[in-house]
Amino acid sequence: MMNRRRFFYCAGSVAALTTAAGCLGDDDSGDGPDADDETRTTAENETDERRVAPDLPEIEDPPDAVYVPTHREAMQMLEPVEAGAYALAPMLSYPHPFWLVDGRETERVDPDGSPAVHLMFTLWDADTGLVLPVESGAQIRVERDGQEVGSPRSPWAMISQEMGFHFGDNVPLDEDGTYTVEVTLPPIGVRKTGALEGRFAETETATFEFTYDEDFRRAVIGGIEYLDEDLWGERGALEPMEHGQGGGGDEGDDHEHDDSNAHDEGDGEDTGHEGEDGHDADGHEEGGGNGQHEDHGDGHVPYSSLPPAEDYPETLLGDPETGDATLVTTLLESDTRLTDGSHPYLLVSPRTPYNRVPLADMAISATIGRDGEELATVDLEQTLDDEYDLHYGAELVDVQPETGDTVTLTVESPPQVSRHRGYETAFLEMPPVEVEVDMEVPE
Amino acid sequence: MSLPDRTGLSRREYLRAVVAVGGASALGACLAEDGETEDAVPGGTDDPESLPSRQHAWNDALSTDDDGNVQLPEHHVLVALSLVDDGEPTDEARETVETSLRTLERAYEWSNEGLVFTVGYTPAYFERIGSPTAETVELPEPTALTVREDPEPDDFDALLHLASDHAEVVLRAEEALFGEVEEVNGVAVETDLSTVFERLDDRRRTGFIGPGLPAEHTDTSGVPEEIPEDAPFFMGFRSGFRANQATEDRATITEGPFAGGTTQHVSSMDLQLETWFKQDSHRQRVSKMFSPEHVDEDLVGDIGEKLSTSSGVTDERIEATEEDARTRGVVGHAQKAARAREDGQPLLLRRDFNTVDGDRPGVHFLSLQREIEEFVRVRNAMTGADLAGNGVGGVQNNGILQYIFVNRRGNYLLPPRPLRALPSGDPA
Ligand code: HEM
């Protein structure tokens, strides 16, 4: 029997529009939140048995940048499951719109009104707690009473402000009942370095169960937390969700960072360019500098958050912004373990503003210039490292960077990961950015 | 399996469903539905010499579409066979097989209007009869070819592929081979396979191909309404253009005792059509199936009607696959697979067809090539592991990988016609 303990995430750090009653897991969940009737224009019939998804308000004309959506998504958290080298935390919500990325364009996917769940999972390294933010062909099969429901699918790699990098899809179901989900996790093919080298080479399978019924629908639809309408479409982001451990969900409502969704542009990027302190690399070797490493363990679900720019060692070349993403760029000396030891390593770590969610499946190239001349252009390779996490890197073989050189980062294709609301207008048009080498790299 | 309920089904749907069921009752149902066809089916030949010596020589016998591309017959059955006796086959057994197959050739014209078929043998067969092919032809056991699959191997002995435009013909041919009918298209059935082979019913596979057929299956779970009305394949586009298929010559073994034969790979896969049709847009489907350039230049049309005898994947686009991954964030299946061409020529002769076996949408991907190793090479090109992480994902935006889920694989030797009856591994 699978672990069926449910716990709902609910209020986070926005002003508590919802009280514990909206946070459910308990029976009078159906009452739903009533705090903010005005914004719930169309989402009325809480008692309608057929209602499989809420009618969510739209934001007209959102900025071409990360923005605050109208609400926090309510979801059911299932107990994390381990499978070989992996751990994953399944999450379920009502089916809702999301956006596929097609080159530099997005394609909105709308649920079609039939019974379905938005099924998600966060996948991480069971050893280090590092979220694995790359798409390598995970598959899910859904069964009910031993019968496969629909065809297998490979859920989309997605980013959301609340869940960070995860896999998800609107998955059609048939009737109410208990469903079993089998997740197959093939080996991770991208370049892996450090403690991750050689790992995730086996296919693993994880299984979990959930119940789809009126209680579930009421809980997740009723549990939606609408934000103050003033905030809708403002630049900013919801804070990462805090995953409750244990029963009723720890709402974390004791700390209402009202500013969470109002990080001013830029003020999340307060790292400056003081690259000089970049030599404390060793301090990070055990992952201590990386917030997400700390909170793995019983019942905790890590969030894919990259270390802040100042935690990148060696020569921090800068953290320019493009398309509302930040490209933390650093140069590792030739003795770095990321190369074979004879050449320096250019490391670019693109992330979302505010929550520092890694941006996967991009293509980035770097052009080194000196005195107005191009010395070399290299393609950076997507790499997963236990210390630096997801980044794009290249060994600089043909050119020895010197102080005063420019490094032009060209985003050849923006992150091809699907987007939850609030991320779909950002990270698409990403013009080239330039940083300057301001520290001599020793021979 | 029981016969489908006739109500609510179009004639074609019903016939397709009847083929899937198979057996004498299916044949009866088929005749009741389609009684007049029997007379209309052209008869075969008493002169085996008049037939091509390659079993897989179908192209000249099949119809072509308006553009001149070979059209596969509408109905397909793959009958899995298991030897009744172990050990080196006797001359009598060989005689039985050959005579049974000749009965079909006498009964039906070698064409889509009549019947085309092949019989292929697995590595397990040569093992079982204690006669390895090591010296004659490379015939490896089927294995997983991608990291995303754990396929069941076709480890039975032989596979019969029957194809015809008439549902009744594939059914009757199968029944005749097993002595379930006394007569086939006016030819008496005197010998049948049942003393040599058993049919493995749970391995029987069926399918269909043709404009409009996929869209008739929207009642099947997992087949969305959005499938284009005229699409010949479940994924909504034409396929099998002349320029993108290996010629029969290119797929034929040229040396050794099996010269004139070929190798066959059969993989069976589920398709995720809900995502493909309800989430991806047409432009995404075109870029993932063909190439991003096909979108820019509007080369395809709804279902490929703008293409004629080629997929429109140029040498330049094939060359640019990596660049497309990096700069466009997406690569097409046709473009990726074409990277494995040799001297500009495709290596595979694909004869894949749609299926709803198991009541869900899928493909039985049947491919002929000179060597199994060539299939593996092309499949690797299609997987594009080299592209993953370089602008596209492991499966996402990486061709059509995200939508296919392989369940089975089988490798076969299709000997030339003179050796098709229970060949030894090294026929001197
Ligand atoms: C659902 C499965 C598949 C669909 C819908 C599909 C569809 C297509 C389409 C539309 C084309 C371009 C048009 C043409 O055929 O001439 C194509 C080309 C091709 N496909 Fe597939 N395909 C599938 C699976 C496979 C598999 C499993 C292989 C095995 C390696 C494969 C190998 C090829 C090859 C070799 C080409 C031609 C490349 C060239 O022009 O050289 N396909 N396919």
PDB file of all heavy atoms in Angstrom, chain B residues 163-192:
ATOM      1  N   ALA B 163      -0.727  -8.405 -45.524  1.00  0.00           N
ATOM      2  CA  ALA B 163      -1.245  -7.066 -45.798  1.00  0.00           C
ATOM      3  C   ALA B 163      -2.096  -7.061 -47.049  1.00  0.00           C
ATOM      4  O   ALA B 163      -1.759  -7.697 -48.053  1.00  0.00           O
ATOM      5  CB  ALA B 163      -0.087  -6.082 -45.956  1.00  0.00           C
ATOM      6  N   SER B 164      -3.199  -6.346 -46.967  1.00  0.00           N
ATOM      7  CA  SER B 164      -4.118  -6.243 -48.099  1.00  0.00           C
ATOM      8  C   SER B 164      -5.018  -5.028 -47.914  1.00  0.00           C
ATOM      9  O   SER B 164      -5.234  -4.581 -46.788  1.00  0.00           O
ATOM     10  CB  SER B 164      -4.990  -7.500 -48.179  1.00  0.00           C
ATOM     11  OG  SER B 164      -6.028  -7.314 -49.130  1.00  0.00           O
ATOM     12  N   ASP B 165      -5.545  -4.538 -48.987  1.00  0.00           N
ATOM     13  CA  ASP B 165      -6.547  -3.487 -48.876  1.00  0.00           C
ATOM     14  C   ASP B 165      -7.885  -4.036 -48.380  1.00  0.00           C
ATOM     15  O   ASP B 165      -8.755  -3.272 -47.988  1.00  0.00           O
ATOM     16  CB  ASP B 165      -6.754  -2.794 -50.227  1.00  0.00           C
ATOM     17  CG  ASP B 165      -5.661  -1.763 -50.509  1.00  0.00           C
ATOM     18  OD1 ASP B 165      -4.928  -1.409 -49.558  1.00  0.00           O
ATOM     19  OD2 ASP B 165      -5.540  -1.331 -51.668  1.00  0.00           O
ATOM     20  N   HIS B 166      -8.056  -5.347 -48.428  1.00  0.00           N
ATOM     21  CA  HIS B 166      -9.329  -5.936 -48.001  1.00  0.00           C
ATOM     22  C   HIS B 166      -9.183  -6.632 -46.659  1.00  0.00           C
ATOM     23  O   HIS B 166      -8.375  -7.544 -46.519  1.00  0.00           O
ATOM     24  CB  HIS B 166      -9.820  -6.954 -49.031  1.00  0.00           C
ATOM     25  CG  HIS B 166     -10.013  -6.362 -50.386  1.00  0.00           C
ATOM     26  ND1 HIS B 166     -10.961  -5.406 -50.641  1.00  0.00           N
ATOM     27  CD2 HIS B 166      -9.360  -6.582 -51.550  1.00  0.00           C
ATOM     28  CE1 HIS B 166     -10.883  -5.054 -51.920  1.00  0.00           C
ATOM     29  NE2 HIS B 166      -9.920  -5.752 -52.488  1.00  0.00           N
ATOM     30  N   ALA B 167      -9.984  -6.230 -45.722  1.00  0.00           N
ATOM     31  CA  ALA B 167      -9.960  -6.837 -44.390  1.00  0.00           C
ATOM     32  C   ALA B 167     -10.178  -8.344 -44.495  1.00  0.00           C
ATOM     33  O   ALA B 167      -9.498  -9.148 -43.850  1.00  0.00           O
ATOM     34  CB  ALA B 167     -11.054  -6.211 -43.518  1.00  0.00           C
ATOM     35  N   GLU B 168     -11.118  -8.688 -45.359  1.00  0.00           N
ATOM     36  CA  GLU B 168     -11.486 -10.087 -45.490  1.00  0.00           C
ATOM     37  C   GLU B 168     -10.297 -10.933 -45.954  1.00  0.00           C
ATOM     38  O   GLU B 168     -10.141 -12.075 -45.555  1.00  0.00           O
ATOM     39  CB  GLU B 168     -12.662 -10.157 -46.483  1.00  0.00           C
ATOM     40  CG  GLU B 168     -13.168 -11.529 -46.805  1.00  0.00           C
ATOM     41  CD  GLU B 168     -12.528 -12.097 -48.059  1.00  0.00           C
ATOM     42  OE1 GLU B 168     -12.183 -11.290 -48.943  1.00  0.00           O
ATOM     43  OE2 GLU B 168     -12.344 -13.313 -48.119  1.00  0.00           O
ATOM     44  N   VAL B 169      -9.447 -10.347 -46.779  1.00  0.00           N
ATOM     45  CA  VAL B 169      -8.325 -11.112 -47.340  1.00  0.00           C
ATOM     46  C   VAL B 169      -7.299 -11.457 -46.263  1.00  0.00           C
ATOM     47  O   VAL B 169      -6.850 -12.599 -46.164  1.00  0.00           O
ATOM     48  CB  VAL B 169      -7.673 -10.360 -48.521  1.00  0.00           C
ATOM     49  CG1 VAL B 169      -6.372 -11.033 -48.945  1.00  0.00           C
ATOM     50  CG2 VAL B 169      -8.642 -10.299 -49.696  1.00  0.00           C
ATOM     51  N   VAL B 170      -6.914 -10.471 -45.447  1.00  0.00           N
ATOM     52  CA  VAL B 170      -5.921 -10.808 -44.419  1.00  0.00           C
ATOM     53  C   VAL B 170      -6.487 -11.831 -43.443  1.00  0.00           C
ATOM     54  O   VAL B 170      -5.779 -12.735 -42.991  1.00  0.00           O
ATOM     55  CB  VAL B 170      -5.383  -9.568 -43.652  1.00  0.00           C
ATOM     56  CG1 VAL B 170      -4.429  -8.771 -44.515  1.00  0.00           C
ATOM     57  CG2 VAL B 170      -6.478  -8.696 -43.091  1.00  0.00           C
ATOM     58  N   LEU B 171      -7.781 -11.712 -43.146  1.00  0.00           N
ATOM     59  CA  LEU B 171      -8.385 -12.668 -42.212  1.00  0.00           C
ATOM     60  C   LEU B 171      -8.440 -14.069 -42.814  1.00  0.00           C
ATOM     61  O   LEU B 171      -8.062 -15.054 -42.189  1.00  0.00           O
ATOM     62  CB  LEU B 171      -9.811 -12.227 -41.863  1.00  0.00           C
ATOM     63  CG  LEU B 171      -9.912 -11.077 -40.874  1.00  0.00           C
ATOM     64  CD1 LEU B 171     -11.354 -10.607 -40.772  1.00  0.00           C
ATOM     65  CD2 LEU B 171      -9.380 -11.501 -39.516  1.00  0.00           C
ATOM     66  N   ARG B 172      -8.903 -14.136 -44.053  1.00  0.00           N
ATOM     67  CA  ARG B 172      -9.059 -15.453 -44.671  1.00  0.00           C
ATOM     68  C   ARG B 172      -7.696 -16.100 -44.910  1.00  0.00           C
ATOM     69  O   ARG B 172      -7.536 -17.304 -44.727  1.00  0.00           O
ATOM     70  CB  ARG B 172      -9.862 -15.362 -45.971  1.00  0.00           C
ATOM     71  CG  ARG B 172     -10.109 -16.734 -46.598  1.00  0.00           C
ATOM     72  CD  ARG B 172     -11.091 -16.677 -47.758  1.00  0.00           C
ATOM     73  NE  ARG B 172     -12.472 -16.528 -47.326  1.00  0.00           N
ATOM     74  CZ  ARG B 172     -13.318 -17.539 -47.100  1.00  0.00           C
ATOM     75  NH1 ARG B 172     -12.922 -18.790 -47.240  1.00  0.00           N
ATOM     76  NH2 ARG B 172     -14.553 -17.315 -46.742  1.00  0.00           N
ATOM     77  N   ALA B 173      -6.730 -15.290 -45.285  1.00  0.00           N
ATOM     78  CA  ALA B 173      -5.394 -15.842 -45.517  1.00  0.00           C
ATOM     79  C   ALA B 173      -4.872 -16.471 -44.224  1.00  0.00           C
ATOM     80  O   ALA B 173      -4.315 -17.575 -44.233  1.00  0.00           O
ATOM     81  CB  ALA B 173      -4.452 -14.743 -45.992  1.00  0.00           C
ATOM     82  N   GLU B 174      -5.060 -15.799 -43.136  1.00  0.00           N
ATOM     83  CA  GLU B 174      -4.586 -16.321 -41.859  1.00  0.00           C
ATOM     84  C   GLU B 174      -5.323 -17.610 -41.489  1.00  0.00           C
ATOM     85  O   GLU B 174      -4.712 -18.598 -41.063  1.00  0.00           O
ATOM     86  CB  GLU B 174      -4.789 -15.255 -40.771  1.00  0.00           C
ATOM     87  CG  GLU B 174      -4.266 -15.690 -39.407  1.00  0.00           C
ATOM     88  CD  GLU B 174      -4.509 -14.651 -38.313  1.00  0.00           C
ATOM     89  OE1 GLU B 174      -4.955 -13.526 -38.643  1.00  0.00           O
ATOM     90  OE2 GLU B 174      -4.264 -14.977 -37.144  1.00  0.00           O
ATOM     91  N   GLU B 175      -6.634 -17.594 -41.702  1.00  0.00           N
ATOM     92  CA  GLU B 175      -7.410 -18.789 -41.389  1.00  0.00           C
ATOM     93  C   GLU B 175      -7.011 -19.952 -42.289  1.00  0.00           C
ATOM     94  O   GLU B 175      -6.913 -21.098 -41.842  1.00  0.00           O
ATOM     95  CB  GLU B 175      -8.914 -18.496 -41.535  1.00  0.00           C
ATOM     96  CG  GLU B 175      -9.452 -17.541 -40.501  1.00  0.00           C
ATOM     97  CD  GLU B 175      -9.017 -17.926 -39.103  1.00  0.00           C
ATOM     98  OE1 GLU B 175      -9.546 -18.931 -38.575  1.00  0.00           O
ATOM     99  OE2 GLU B 175      -8.136 -17.253 -38.532  1.00  0.00           O
ATOM    100  N   ALA B 176      -6.751 -19.637 -43.528  1.00  0.00           N
ATOM    101  CA  ALA B 176      -6.353 -20.691 -44.467  1.00  0.00           C
ATOM    102  C   ALA B 176      -5.027 -21.319 -44.052  1.00  0.00           C
ATOM    103  O   ALA B 176      -4.850 -22.534 -44.098  1.00  0.00           O
ATOM    104  CB  ALA B 176      -6.244 -20.113 -45.885  1.00  0.00           C
ATOM    105  N   LEU B 177      -4.118 -20.478 -43.597  1.00  0.00           N
ATOM    106  CA  LEU B 177      -2.805 -20.995 -43.197  1.00  0.00           C
ATOM    107  C   LEU B 177      -2.922 -21.950 -42.022  1.00  0.00           C
ATOM    108  O   LEU B 177      -2.047 -22.776 -41.791  1.00  0.00           O
ATOM    109  CB  LEU B 177      -1.865 -19.843 -42.827  1.00  0.00           C
ATOM    110  CG  LEU B 177      -1.266 -19.071 -43.993  1.00  0.00           C
ATOM    111  CD1 LEU B 177      -0.460 -17.897 -43.483  1.00  0.00           C
ATOM    112  CD2 LEU B 177      -0.396 -19.983 -44.856  1.00  0.00           C
ATOM    113  N   PHE B 178      -3.992 -21.824 -41.271  1.00  0.00           N
ATOM    114  CA  PHE B 178      -4.158 -22.706 -40.121  1.00  0.00           C
ATOM    115  C   PHE B 178      -5.319 -23.674 -40.276  1.00  0.00           C
ATOM    116  O   PHE B 178      -5.835 -24.213 -39.308  1.00  0.00           O
ATOM    117  CB  PHE B 178      -4.238 -21.881 -38.832  1.00  0.00           C
ATOM    118  CG  PHE B 178      -2.852 -21.408 -38.465  1.00  0.00           C
ATOM    119  CD1 PHE B 178      -2.351 -20.234 -38.974  1.00  0.00           C
ATOM    120  CD2 PHE B 178      -2.036 -22.220 -37.688  1.00  0.00           C
ATOM    121  CE1 PHE B 178      -1.049 -19.848 -38.704  1.00  0.00           C
ATOM    122  CE2 PHE B 178      -0.734 -21.841 -37.409  1.00  0.00           C
ATOM    123  CZ  PHE B 178      -0.239 -20.645 -37.915  1.00  0.00           C
ATOM    124  N   GLY B 179      -5.718 -23.858 -41.540  1.00  0.00           N
ATOM    125  CA  GLY B 179      -6.688 -24.902 -41.835  1.00  0.00           C
ATOM    126  C   GLY B 179      -8.075 -24.644 -41.285  1.00  0.00           C
ATOM    127  O   GLY B 179      -8.873 -25.558 -41.116  1.00  0.00           O
ATOM    128  N   GLU B 180      -8.375 -23.391 -40.997  1.00  0.00           N
ATOM    129  CA  GLU B 180      -9.686 -23.080 -40.430  1.00  0.00           C
ATOM    130  C   GLU B 180     -10.734 -22.874 -41.519  1.00  0.00           C
ATOM    131  O   GLU B 180     -11.908 -22.770 -41.222  1.00  0.00           O
ATOM    132  CB  GLU B 180      -9.618 -21.818 -39.568  1.00  0.00           C
ATOM    133  CG  GLU B 180      -8.535 -21.835 -38.495  1.00  0.00           C
ATOM    134  CD  GLU B 180      -8.933 -22.622 -37.258  1.00  0.00           C
ATOM    135  OE1 GLU B 180     -10.102 -23.045 -37.196  1.00  0.00           O
ATOM    136  OE2 GLU B 180      -8.072 -22.813 -36.390  1.00  0.00           O
ATOM    137  N   VAL B 181     -10.290 -22.728 -42.759  1.00  0.00           N
ATOM    138  CA  VAL B 181     -11.246 -22.644 -43.865  1.00  0.00           C
ATOM    139  C   VAL B 181     -10.812 -23.657 -44.930  1.00  0.00           C
ATOM    140  O   VAL B 181      -9.639 -24.016 -44.994  1.00  0.00           O
ATOM    141  CB  VAL B 181     -11.310 -21.224 -44.485  1.00  0.00           C
ATOM    142  CG1 VAL B 181     -11.912 -20.232 -43.517  1.00  0.00           C
ATOM    143  CG2 VAL B 181      -9.927 -20.761 -44.942  1.00  0.00           C
ATOM    144  N   GLU B 182     -11.757 -24.084 -45.736  1.00  0.00           N
ATOM    145  CA  GLU B 182     -11.436 -25.109 -46.731  1.00  0.00           C
ATOM    146  C   GLU B 182     -11.032 -24.520 -48.056  1.00  0.00           C
ATOM    147  O   GLU B 182     -10.436 -25.181 -48.891  1.00  0.00           O
ATOM    148  CB  GLU B 182     -12.643 -26.028 -46.916  1.00  0.00           C
ATOM    149  CG  GLU B 182     -12.783 -26.936 -45.712  1.00  0.00           C
ATOM    150  CD  GLU B 182     -14.088 -27.721 -45.698  1.00  0.00           C
ATOM    151  OE1 GLU B 182     -14.810 -27.691 -46.723  1.00  0.00           O
ATOM    152  OE2 GLU B 182     -14.361 -28.337 -44.667  1.00  0.00           O
ATOM    153  N   GLU B 183     -11.387 -23.270 -48.201  1.00  0.00           N
ATOM    154  CA  GLU B 183     -11.167 -22.668 -49.497  1.00  0.00           C
ATOM    155  C   GLU B 183     -10.748 -21.220 -49.321  1.00  0.00           C
ATOM    156  O   GLU B 183     -11.225 -20.546 -48.404  1.00  0.00           O
ATOM    157  CB  GLU B 183     -12.492 -22.708 -50.248  1.00  0.00           C
ATOM    158  CG  GLU B 183     -12.341 -22.649 -51.731  1.00  0.00           C
ATOM    159  CD  GLU B 183     -13.690 -22.356 -52.373  1.00  0.00           C
ATOM    160  OE1 GLU B 183     -14.040 -21.158 -52.433  1.00  0.00           O
ATOM    161  OE2 GLU B 183     -14.353 -23.298 -52.788  1.00  0.00           O
ATOM    162  N   VAL B 184      -9.844 -20.776 -50.157  1.00  0.00           N
ATOM    163  CA  VAL B 184      -9.423 -19.393 -50.059  1.00  0.00           C
ATOM    164  C   VAL B 184      -9.438 -18.790 -51.461  1.00  0.00           C
ATOM    165  O   VAL B 184      -8.694 -19.236 -52.339  1.00  0.00           O
ATOM    166  CB  VAL B 184      -8.050 -19.281 -49.349  1.00  0.00           C
ATOM    167  CG1 VAL B 184      -7.026 -20.243 -49.909  1.00  0.00           C
ATOM    168  CG2 VAL B 184      -7.520 -17.859 -49.375  1.00  0.00           C
ATOM    169  N   ASN B 185     -10.354 -17.873 -51.657  1.00  0.00           N
ATOM    170  CA  ASN B 185     -10.527 -17.209 -52.955  1.00  0.00           C
ATOM    171  C   ASN B 185     -10.603 -18.220 -54.101  1.00  0.00           C
ATOM    172  O   ASN B 185      -9.949 -18.071 -55.136  1.00  0.00           O
ATOM    173  CB  ASN B 185      -9.392 -16.204 -53.205  1.00  0.00           C
ATOM    174  CG  ASN B 185      -9.846 -15.053 -54.111  1.00  0.00           C
ATOM    175  OD1 ASN B 185     -11.042 -14.757 -54.208  1.00  0.00           O
ATOM    176  ND2 ASN B 185      -8.894 -14.424 -54.776  1.00  0.00           N
ATOM    177  N   GLY B 186     -11.364 -19.279 -53.879  1.00  0.00           N
ATOM    178  CA  GLY B 186     -11.573 -20.274 -54.921  1.00  0.00           C
ATOM    179  C   GLY B 186     -10.506 -21.352 -54.993  1.00  0.00           C
ATOM    180  O   GLY B 186     -10.603 -22.265 -55.794  1.00  0.00           O
ATOM    181  N   VAL B 187      -9.485 -21.259 -54.148  1.00  0.00           N
ATOM    182  CA  VAL B 187      -8.433 -22.283 -54.142  1.00  0.00           C
ATOM    183  C   VAL B 187      -8.621 -23.162 -52.909  1.00  0.00           C
ATOM    184  O   VAL B 187      -8.789 -22.650 -51.799  1.00  0.00           O
ATOM    185  CB  VAL B 187      -7.041 -21.622 -54.126  1.00  0.00           C
ATOM    186  CG1 VAL B 187      -5.938 -22.651 -53.940  1.00  0.00           C
ATOM    187  CG2 VAL B 187      -6.832 -20.802 -55.392  1.00  0.00           C
ATOM    188  N   ALA B 188      -8.592 -24.480 -53.138  1.00  0.00           N
ATOM    189  CA  ALA B 188      -8.788 -25.404 -52.017  1.00  0.00           C
ATOM    190  C   ALA B 188      -7.567 -25.380 -51.097  1.00  0.00           C
ATOM    191  O   ALA B 188      -6.427 -25.333 -51.558  1.00  0.00           O
ATOM    192  CB  ALA B 188      -9.019 -26.814 -52.533  1.00  0.00           C
ATOM    193  N   VAL B 189      -7.807 -25.393 -49.804  1.00  0.00           N
ATOM    194  CA  VAL B 189      -6.704 -25.418 -48.840  1.00  0.00           C
ATOM    195  C   VAL B 189      -6.422 -26.876 -48.497  1.00  0.00           C
ATOM    196  O   VAL B 189      -7.215 -27.527 -47.826  1.00  0.00           O
ATOM    197  CB  VAL B 189      -7.087 -24.636 -47.566  1.00  0.00           C
ATOM    198  CG1 VAL B 189      -5.993 -24.758 -46.512  1.00  0.00           C
ATOM    199  CG2 VAL B 189      -7.369 -23.177 -47.898  1.00  0.00           C
ATOM    200  N   GLU B 190      -5.310 -27.397 -48.998  1.00  0.00           N
ATOM    201  CA  GLU B 190      -5.013 -28.807 -48.758  1.00  0.00           C
ATOM    202  C   GLU B 190      -3.989 -29.007 -47.662  1.00  0.00           C
ATOM    203  O   GLU B 190      -3.976 -30.019 -46.982  1.00  0.00           O
ATOM    204  CB  GLU B 190      -4.556 -29.471 -50.064  1.00  0.00           C
ATOM    205  CG  GLU B 190      -5.756 -29.839 -50.926  1.00  0.00           C
ATOM    206  CD  GLU B 190      -5.430 -29.914 -52.403  1.00  0.00           C
ATOM    207  OE1 GLU B 190      -4.240 -29.858 -52.750  1.00  0.00           O
ATOM    208  OE2 GLU B 190      -6.378 -30.011 -53.212  1.00  0.00           O
ATOM    209  N   THR B 191      -3.102 -28.044 -47.554  1.00  0.00           N
ATOM    210  CA  THR B 191      -2.032 -28.153 -46.555  1.00  0.00           C
ATOM    211  C   THR B 191      -2.061 -26.906 -45.698  1.00  0.00           C
ATOM    212  O   THR B 191      -2.322 -25.823 -46.219  1.00  0.00           O
ATOM    213  CB  THR B 191      -0.665 -28.225 -47.252  1.00  0.00           C
ATOM    214  OG1 THR B 191      -0.731 -29.262 -48.217  1.00  0.00           O
ATOM    215  CG2 THR B 191       0.454 -28.502 -46.252  1.00  0.00           C
ATOM    216  N   ASP B 192      -1.802 -27.045 -44.422  1.00  0.00           N
ATOM    217  CA  ASP B 192      -1.712 -25.839 -43.608  1.00  0.00           C
ATOM    218  C   ASP B 192      -0.568 -25.973 -42.612  1.00  0.00           C
ATOM    219  O   ASP B 192       0.055 -27.008 -42.486  1.00  0.00           O
ATOM    220  CB  ASP B 192      -3.040 -25.548 -42.923  1.00  0.00           C
ATOM    221  CG  ASP B 192      -3.371 -26.561 -41.863  1.00  0.00           C
ATOM    222  OD1 ASP B 192      -2.758 -26.475 -40.776  1.00  0.00           O
ATOM    223  OD2 ASP B 192      -4.221 -27.455 -42.125  1.00  0.00           O
TER     224      ASP B 192
END
